[in-house]
Coordinates of all heavy atoms in Angstrom, one line a residue:
K1 N 88.6 108.6 101.9 CA 87.2 109.0 101.7 C 87.2 110.6 101.6 O 86.5 111.1 100.8 CB 86.3 108.5 102.7 CG 84.9 108.8 102.5 CD 84.0 108.1 103.6 CE 82.6 108.5 103.3 NZ 81.7 107.8 104.3
S2 N 87.8 111.2 102.5 CA 87.8 112.7 102.5 C 88.6 113.3 101.3 O 88.2 114.3 100.8 CB 88.4 113.2 103.8 OG 89.8 112.8 104.0
V3 N 89.6 112.6 100.8 CA 90.3 113.0 99.6 C 89.3 112.9 98.4 O 89.3 113.8 97.6 CB 91.6 112.2 99.4 CG1 92.2 112.5 98.1 CG2 92.5 112.4 100.5
D4 N 88.5 111.9 98.4 CA 87.6 111.8 97.3 C 86.5 112.9 97.3 O 86.2 113.4 96.3 CB 86.9 110.4 97.3 CG 87.8 109.3 97.0 OD1 88.8 109.5 96.2 OD2 87.6 108.1 97.5
S5 N 86.1 113.2 98.5 CA 85.1 114.3 98.7 C 85.7 115.6 98.3 O 85.0 116.5 97.7 CB 84.4 114.3 100.0 OG 85.4 114.5 101.0
L6 N 87.0 115.8 98.7 CA 87.7 117.0 98.3 C 87.7 117.1 96.8 O 87.5 118.2 96.2 CB 89.1 117.1 98.9 CG 90.0 118.2 98.4 CD1 89.4 119.5 98.8 CD2 91.4 118.0 98.8
A7 N 88.1 116.1 96.1 CA 88.2 116.1 94.6 C 86.9 116.3 94.0 O 86.8 117.1 93.0 CB 88.8 114.7 94.2
T8 N 85.9 115.7 94.5 CA 84.5 115.8 94.0 C 84.0 117.3 94.2 O 83.5 117.9 93.2 CB 83.5 114.9 94.7 OG1 84.0 113.5 94.5 CG2 82.1 115.0 94.1
G9 N 84.3 117.8 95.3 CA 83.9 119.2 95.6 C 84.6 120.2 94.7 O 84.1 121.2 94.2
L10 N 85.9 120.0 94.5 CA 86.7 120.8 93.7 C 86.3 120.8 92.2 O 86.2 121.8 91.6 CB 88.2 120.4 93.8 CG 89.2 121.3 93.1 CD1 89.2 122.7 93.7 CD2 90.6 120.7 93.3
T11 N 86.0 119.6 91.8 CA 85.5 119.4 90.4 C 84.1 120.1 90.2 O 83.9 120.8 89.2 CB 85.4 117.9 90.0 OG1 86.7 117.3 90.2 CG2 84.9 117.7 88.6
A12 N 83.2 119.9 91.2 CA 81.9 120.6 91.1 C 82.0 122.1 91.1 O 81.3 122.8 90.4 CB 81.0 120.1 92.3
L13 N 82.9 122.6 92.0 CA 83.1 124.1 92.1 C 83.6 124.6 90.7 O 83.1 125.6 90.2 CB 84.1 124.4 93.2 CG 84.5 125.8 93.3 CD1 83.4 126.7 93.7 CD2 85.7 126.0 94.3
T14 N 84.6 123.9 90.2 CA 85.2 124.3 88.9 C 84.1 124.3 87.8 O 84.0 125.2 86.9 CB 86.4 123.5 88.5 OG1 87.3 123.6 89.6 CG2 87.0 123.9 87.2
E15 N 83.3 123.2 87.7 CA 82.3 123.1 86.7 C 81.3 124.2 86.8 O 80.9 124.8 85.8 CB 81.5 121.7 86.9 CG 82.4 120.5 86.5 CD 82.7 120.5 85.0 OE1 81.9 121.0 84.2 OE2 83.8 120.0 84.7
G16 N 80.9 124.6 88.1 CA 80.0 125.6 88.3 C 80.5 127.0 87.8 O 79.8 127.8 87.2
V17 N 81.8 127.2 88.1 CA 82.4 128.5 87.8 C 82.7 128.6 86.3 O 82.4 129.6 85.7 CB 83.7 128.7 88.6 CG1 84.5 129.9 88.0 CG2 83.4 128.9 90.1
T18 N 83.2 127.5 85.7 CA 83.6 127.6 84.3 C 82.4 127.4 83.3 O 82.6 127.8 82.2 CB 84.7 126.6 84.0 OG1 84.2 125.3 84.2 CG2 85.9 126.8 84.8
E19 N 81.3 126.9 83.8 CA 80.2 126.7 82.9 C 79.8 127.9 82.1 O 79.6 127.9 80.9 CB 79.0 126.1 83.7 CG 77.9 125.7 82.8 CD 76.8 125.1 83.6 OE1 77.1 124.3 84.6 OE2 75.6 125.3 83.3
N20 N 79.6 129.0 82.9 CA 79.2 130.3 82.2 C 80.4 131.1 81.8 O 80.3 131.9 80.9 CB 78.3 131.0 83.1 CG 77.0 130.3 83.4 OD1 76.4 129.7 82.4 ND2 76.5 130.4 84.6
M21 N 81.5 131.0 82.5 CA 82.6 131.9 82.3 C 83.3 131.6 81.0 O 83.9 132.4 80.3 CB 83.6 131.9 83.4 CG 83.1 132.4 84.7 SD 82.6 134.2 84.5 CE 82.1 134.6 86.1
A22 N 83.3 130.3 80.5 CA 84.0 129.9 79.3 C 83.3 130.6 78.1 O 84.0 130.7 77.1 CB 84.0 128.4 79.2
R23 N 82.1 131.0 78.2 CA 81.4 131.6 77.1 C 81.3 133.1 77.2 O 80.6 133.8 76.5 CB 80.0 131.0 77.0 CG 80.0 129.6 76.6 CD 78.6 129.1 76.5 NE 78.2 129.0 77.9 CZ 77.4 128.1 78.4 NH1 76.9 127.2 77.7 NH2 77.0 128.1 79.7
A24 N 82.1 133.7 78.1 CA 82.1 135.1 78.4 C 82.6 135.9 77.1 O 83.4 135.3 76.4 CB 82.9 135.5 79.6
N25 N 82.2 137.1 77.0 CA 82.7 137.9 75.9 C 84.1 138.3 76.1 O 84.8 138.6 75.1 CB 81.8 139.1 75.7 CG 80.4 138.8 75.2 OD1 80.2 137.7 74.6 ND2 79.4 139.6 75.5
D26 N 84.5 138.4 77.3 CA 85.9 138.8 77.6 C 86.8 137.6 77.4 O 86.7 136.6 78.1 CB 86.0 139.3 79.1 CG 87.3 139.8 79.5 OD1 88.3 139.8 78.6 OD2 87.5 140.4 80.6
T27 N 87.8 137.7 76.5 CA 88.6 136.6 76.2 C 89.5 136.2 77.3 O 89.9 135.0 77.5 CB 89.5 136.9 74.9 OG1 90.3 138.1 75.2 CG2 88.6 137.1 73.7
Q28 N 89.9 137.1 78.2 CA 90.8 136.8 79.3 C 90.0 136.0 80.3 O 90.6 135.0 80.8 CB 91.3 138.1 80.0 CG 92.2 137.9 81.1 CD 93.6 137.3 80.6 OE1 94.0 137.7 79.6 NE2 94.1 136.4 81.4
I29 N 88.8 136.3 80.6 CA 88.0 135.5 81.5 C 87.7 134.1 81.0 O 87.9 133.1 81.7 CB 86.6 136.2 81.8 CG1 86.9 137.5 82.6 CG2 85.7 135.3 82.5 CD1 85.6 138.3 82.8
A30 N 87.4 134.0 79.7 CA 87.2 132.7 79.0 C 88.5 131.9 79.1 O 88.4 130.7 79.4 CB 86.7 132.9 77.6
S31 N 89.6 132.5 78.8 CA 90.9 131.8 78.9 C 91.2 131.3 80.3 O 91.6 130.2 80.5 CB 92.0 132.7 78.3 OG 93.2 132.1 78.5
D32 N 91.0 132.2 81.2 CA 91.3 131.8 82.6 C 90.4 130.7 83.1 O 90.8 129.9 83.9 CB 91.3 133.0 83.5 CG 92.4 134.0 83.4 OD1 93.4 133.6 82.7 OD2 92.4 135.1 83.9
S33 N 89.2 130.7 82.7 CA 88.2 129.7 83.2 C 88.7 128.3 82.6 O 88.6 127.3 83.2 CB 86.8 130.0 82.8 OG 86.6 130.0 81.4
C34 N 89.2 128.3 81.3 CA 89.7 127.1 80.8 C 90.9 126.6 81.5 O 91.1 125.4 81.7 CB 90.0 127.3 79.3 SG 88.5 127.4 78.3
K35 N 91.8 127.5 81.8 CA 93.0 127.2 82.6 C 92.6 126.6 84.0 O 93.3 125.7 84.5 CB 93.9 128.4 82.8 CG 94.6 128.8 81.5 CD 95.4 130.1 81.8 CE 96.0 130.7 80.5 NZ 96.7 131.9 80.7
M36 N 91.6 127.2 84.6 CA 91.1 126.7 85.9 C 90.6 125.3 85.8 O 90.9 124.4 86.6 CB 90.0 127.6 86.4 CG 89.5 127.2 87.8 SD 88.2 128.3 88.3 CE 87.8 127.6 89.8
K37 N 89.9 125.0 84.7 CA 89.4 123.6 84.5 C 90.5 122.7 84.3 O 90.5 121.5 84.8 CB 88.4 123.6 83.4 CG 87.7 122.3 83.2 CD 86.6 122.4 82.3 CE 85.9 121.0 82.2 NZ 84.5 121.2 82.0
E38 N 91.5 123.0 83.5 CA 92.7 122.2 83.3 C 93.5 121.9 84.5 O 93.9 120.8 84.8 CB 93.6 122.8 82.2 CG 93.0 122.8 80.8 CD 93.9 123.6 79.8 OE1 94.9 124.2 80.2 OE2 93.4 123.7 78.7
A39 N 93.6 123.0 85.3 CA 94.4 122.8 86.6 C 93.6 121.9 87.6 O 94.2 121.1 88.2 CB 94.6 124.2 87.3
T40 N 92.3 122.0 87.6 CA 91.5 121.2 88.4 C 91.6 119.7 88.0 O 91.7 118.8 88.8 CB 90.0 121.6 88.4 OG1 90.0 122.9 88.9 CG2 89.2 120.7 89.3
N41 N 91.6 119.5 86.7 CA 91.8 118.1 86.2 C 93.1 117.6 86.5 O 93.3 116.4 86.8 CB 91.6 118.1 84.7 CG 90.1 118.2 84.3 OD1 89.2 118.0 85.1 ND2 89.9 118.6 83.1
Q42 N 94.2 118.4 86.5 CA 95.5 117.9 86.9 C 95.6 117.6 88.4 O 96.4 116.7 88.7 CB 96.5 119.0 86.6 CG 96.8 119.2 85.1 CD 97.8 120.3 84.9 OE1 98.1 121.1 85.7 NE2 98.3 120.4 83.6
I43 N 94.7 118.1 89.2 CA 94.7 117.8 90.6 C 93.7 116.7 90.9 O 94.1 115.7 91.6 CB 94.3 119.1 91.4 CG1 95.3 120.2 91.3 CG2 94.0 118.7 92.9 CD1 94.8 121.5 91.8
A44 N 92.5 116.8 90.4 CA 91.4 115.9 90.9 C 91.0 114.7 90.1 O 90.2 113.9 90.6 CB 90.2 116.8 91.2
R45 N 91.5 114.5 88.9 CA 91.1 113.4 88.1 C 91.7 112.1 88.6 O 92.9 112.0 88.4 CB 91.4 113.6 86.6 CG 90.6 114.7 85.9 CD 89.3 114.3 85.4 NE 89.4 113.0 84.7 CZ 89.1 113.0 83.4 NH1 88.9 114.0 82.7 NH2 89.2 111.8 82.8
A46 N 91.0 111.2 89.2 CA 91.5 110.0 89.7 C 91.9 109.1 88.6 O 92.8 108.2 88.8 CB 90.5 109.3 90.6
D47 N 91.3 109.2 87.4 CA 91.6 108.3 86.3 C 92.8 108.7 85.5 O 93.3 108.0 84.6 CB 90.4 108.0 85.4 CG 89.9 109.3 84.8 OD1 90.2 110.4 85.3 OD2 89.1 109.3 83.8
A48 N 93.3 110.0 85.7 CA 94.5 110.5 85.0 C 95.7 110.0 85.8 O 95.8 110.3 87.0 CB 94.4 112.0 85.0
P49 N 96.7 109.3 85.1 CA 97.8 108.8 85.8 C 98.7 109.8 86.5 O 99.4 109.4 87.5 CB 98.5 108.0 84.8 CG 98.1 108.5 83.5 CD 96.7 109.1 83.7
H50 N 98.8 111.0 86.0 CA 99.7 112.0 86.6 C 99.0 113.0 87.4 O 99.6 114.0 87.8 CB 100.5 112.7 85.4 CG 101.3 111.7 84.6 ND1 102.4 111.1 85.2 CD2 101.2 111.2 83.4 CE1 102.9 110.3 84.3 NE2 102.2 110.3 83.2
S51 N 97.7 112.8 87.7 CA 97.0 113.8 88.6 C 97.5 113.7 90.0 O 98.1 112.7 90.4 CB 95.5 113.6 88.5 OG 95.2 112.4 89.2
A52 N 97.3 114.7 90.8 CA 97.8 114.8 92.1 C 97.1 113.7 93.0 O 97.8 113.1 93.8 CB 97.6 116.2 92.7
I53 N 95.8 113.5 92.8 CA 95.1 112.5 93.5 C 95.7 111.1 93.2 O 95.8 110.3 94.1 CB 93.6 112.5 93.2 CG1 93.0 113.8 93.6 CG2 92.8 111.3 93.7 CD1 92.9 114.0 95.1
A54 N 95.9 110.8 91.9 CA 96.5 109.5 91.6 C 97.8 109.3 92.2 O 98.2 108.2 92.7 CB 96.5 109.3 90.1
K55 N 98.7 110.3 92.2 CA 100.0 110.2 92.7 C 99.9 110.0 94.3 O 100.7 109.2 94.8 CB 100.8 111.4 92.4 CG 101.3 111.5 91.0 CD 102.0 112.8 90.8 CE 102.4 113.0 89.3 NZ 103.2 114.2 89.1
L56 N 99.0 110.7 94.9 CA 98.8 110.5 96.3 C 98.4 109.1 96.7 O 98.9 108.5 97.6 CB 97.7 111.5 96.8 CG 97.4 111.4 98.3 CD1 98.5 111.8 99.2 CD2 96.2 112.3 98.6
R57 N 97.5 108.5 95.9 CA 97.1 107.2 96.2 C 98.2 106.2 96.0 O 98.4 105.3 96.8 CB 95.9 106.8 95.3 CG 94.6 107.5 95.7 CD 93.4 106.8 95.0 NE 92.2 107.5 95.5 CZ 91.3 108.0 94.8 NH1 91.4 107.9 93.5 NH2 90.2 108.6 95.3
R58 N 99.0 106.3 94.9 CA 100.1 105.4 94.7 C 101.1 105.6 95.8 O 101.7 104.6 96.3 CB 100.8 105.8 93.3 CG 100.1 105.2 92.2 CD 100.9 105.2 90.9 NE 101.5 106.5 90.6 CZ 100.9 107.5 89.9 NH1 99.7 107.3 89.4 NH2 101.5 108.6 89.7
D59 N 101.4 106.8 96.2 CA 102.4 107.0 97.3 C 101.9 106.4 98.6 O 102.7 105.8 99.4 CB 102.7 108.5 97.5 CG 103.5 109.1 96.3 OD1 104.1 108.3 95.6 OD2 103.6 110.3 96.2
M60 N 100.6 106.6 98.9 CA 100.1 106.0 100.1 C 100.1 104.5 100.1 O 100.5 103.9 101.1 CB 98.6 106.5 100.4 CG 98.5 108.0 100.8 SD 96.9 108.5 101.0 CE 96.2 107.4 102.2
E61 N 99.8 103.9 99.0 CA 99.9 102.5 98.8 C 101.3 102.0 99.1 O 101.5 101.0 99.8 CB 99.4 102.1 97.5 CG 99.5 100.6 97.2 CD 98.5 99.7 98.1 OE1 97.4 100.2 98.4 OE2 98.9 98.6 98.4
F62 N 102.2 102.6 98.4 CA 103.6 102.2 98.5 C 104.3 102.5 99.8 O 105.0 101.6 100.4 CB 104.4 102.8 97.3 CG 105.9 102.4 97.3 CD1 106.2 101.1 96.7 CD2 106.9 103.2 97.7 CE1 107.5 100.7 96.7 CE2 108.2 102.7 97.7 CZ 108.5 101.5 97.1
N63 N 104.1 103.7 100.3 CA 104.8 104.1 101.5 C 104.1 103.9 102.8 O 104.8 103.9 103.9 CB 105.1 105.6 101.4 CG 106.1 105.9 100.3 OD1 107.0 105.2 100.1 ND2 105.8 107.0 99.6
I64 N 102.8 103.6 102.8 CA 102.1 103.5 104.1 C 101.4 102.1 104.2 O 101.7 101.3 105.1 CB 101.1 104.6 104.3 CG1 101.8 105.9 104.4 CG2 100.2 104.4 105.5 CD1 100.9 107.1 104.4
L65 N 100.5 101.8 103.2 CA 99.7 100.6 103.3 C 100.5 99.4 103.2 O 100.4 98.4 104.0 CB 98.6 100.7 102.3 CG 97.5 101.8 102.5 CD1 96.5 101.7 101.4 CD2 96.8 101.6 103.8
S66 N 101.4 99.3 102.2 CA 102.1 98.0 102.0 C 103.1 97.8 103.2 O 103.1 96.6 103.7 CB 102.9 98.1 100.7 OG 102.1 98.1 99.6
P67 N 103.8 98.7 103.7 CA 104.7 98.4 104.8 C 103.9 98.0 106.1 O 104.3 97.1 106.8 CB 105.4 99.8 105.1 CG 105.4 100.4 103.8 CD 104.1 100.1 103.1
V68 N 102.7 98.7 106.3 CA 101.9 98.3 107.5 C 101.4 96.9 107.3 O 101.4 96.1 108.3 CB 100.8 99.4 107.7 CG1 99.8 98.9 108.7 CG2 101.4 100.7 108.2
Q69 N 100.9 96.6 106.1 CA 100.4 95.2 105.9 C 101.5 94.2 106.1 O 101.3 93.1 106.6 CB 99.7 95.1 104.5 CG 98.4 95.9 104.4 CD 97.9 96.0 103.0 OE1 98.6 95.8 102.1 NE2 96.7 96.4 102.9
N70 N 102.7 94.5 105.6 CA 103.8 93.6 105.7 C 104.2 93.4 107.2 O 104.5 92.3 107.7 CB 105.0 94.0 105.0 CG 104.8 93.9 103.5 OD1 104.0 93.1 103.0 ND2 105.6 94.7 102.7
H71 N 104.1 94.5 107.9 CA 104.4 94.4 109.4 C 103.4 93.6 110.1 O 103.8 92.8 111.0 CB 104.5 95.9 109.9 CG 104.7 95.9 111.4 ND1 105.9 95.6 112.0 CD2 103.8 96.2 112.4 CE1 105.8 95.7 113.3 NE2 104.5 96.1 113.6
I72 N 102.1 93.8 109.8 CA 101.1 93.0 110.4 C 101.3 91.5 110.1 O 101.1 90.6 111.0 CB 99.7 93.5 110.0 CG1 99.5 94.9 110.6 CG2 98.6 92.5 110.4 CD1 98.2 95.6 110.1
A73 N 101.6 91.2 108.9 CA 101.8 89.8 108.5 C 103.0 89.2 109.2 O 102.9 88.1 109.7 CB 102.0 89.7 107.0
N74 N 104.1 89.9 109.3 CA 105.3 89.5 110.0 C 105.0 89.3 111.5 O 105.4 88.3 112.1 CB 106.4 90.4 109.8 CG 107.0 90.4 108.4 OD1 106.9 89.4 107.7 ND2 107.6 91.5 108.0
N75 N 104.2 90.2 112.0 CA 103.8 90.1 113.5 C 103.0 88.8 113.7 O 103.2 88.1 114.7 CB 103.1 91.3 113.9 CG 102.9 91.4 115.4 OD1 103.7 90.8 116.1 ND2 102.0 92.2 115.8
R76 N 102.1 88.5 112.8 CA 101.3 87.3 112.9 C 102.2 86.0 112.8 O 102.0 85.1 113.6 CB 100.2 87.2 111.8 CG 98.9 87.7 112.2 CD 97.8 87.4 111.2 NE 97.3 88.7 110.8 CZ 97.2 89.2 109.6 NH1 97.7 88.5 108.6 NH2 96.7 90.3 109.4
N77 N 103.1 86.1 111.9 CA 104.1 84.9 111.8 C 104.9 84.8 113.0 O 105.2 83.6 113.4 CB 104.9 85.1 110.5 CG 104.2 85.0 109.3 OD1 103.1 84.4 109.2 ND2 104.7 85.5 108.2
L78 N 105.3 85.9 113.6 CA 106.1 85.8 114.9 C 105.3 85.2 116.0 O 105.9 84.4 116.8 CB 106.7 87.1 115.2 CG 107.8 87.7 114.4 CD1 108.1 89.1 114.8 CD2 109.0 86.8 114.4
K79 N 104.1 85.5 116.1 CA 103.2 85.0 117.2 C 103.0 83.5 117.0 O 102.8 82.8 118.0 CB 101.9 85.8 117.2 CG 102.0 87.2 117.8 CD 100.6 87.8 117.8 CE 100.8 89.3 118.4 NZ 99.5 89.9 118.4
V80 N 102.9 83.1 115.7 CA 102.6 81.6 115.5 C 103.9 80.8 115.8 O 103.8 79.7 116.3 CB 102.2 81.5 114.0 CG1 102.2 80.0 113.6 CG2 100.9 82.1 113.7
S81 N 105.0 81.4 115.5 CA 106.3 80.6 115.8 C 106.6 80.4 117.2 O 106.3 81.0 118.1 CB 107.5 81.4 115.2 OG 107.3 81.6 113.8

């Protein structure tokens, strides 16, 4: 839940900053604001398969949740036996 709120906050911050800066007369500022938006999408987009958030979720599922669920199931089976 806190990771989702971090991603939402980061996206909202980027949207707020880049909304006006992308139309700036200074090409460097406009370019950097587009780069900032792209970098935020690489981090915070949950629907993008290679984003940091998506990778974190996959890693947590594979390395933490699945082993713990398997351990709990095995523990239940041992208690029944």
Side-chain angles (χ1 to χ4, degrees):
K1 184 176 180 177
S2 61
V3 173
D4 291 332
S5 63
L6 171 66
T8 303
L10 187 59
T11 303
L13 175 67
T14 301
E15 289 294 327
V17 169
T18 61
E19 185 176 323
N20 293 324
M21 295 298 181
R23 293 177 290 214
N25 290 335
D26 187 353
T27 57
Q28 184 67 37
I29 292 174
S31 173
D32 286 347
S33 67
C34 289
K35 288 178 187 176
M36 181 180 177
K37 187 168 184 148
E38 289 173 2
T40 301
N41 286 339
Q42 288 178 347
I43 295 168
R45 291 277 310 250
D47 58 342
H50 299 293
S51 71
I53 295 291
K55 288 179 183 179
L56 176 65
R57 286 195 177 127
R58 282 193 308 272
D59 288 347
M60 285 179 57
E61 176 68 33
F62 183 78
N63 293 319
I64 298 171
L65 294 177
S66 291
V68 169
Q69 290 170 345
N70 290 338
H71 176 73
I72 291 170
N74 288 337
N75 193 19
R76 263 190 240 125
N77 290 339
L78 288 173
K79 287 182 181 179
V80 171
S81 302

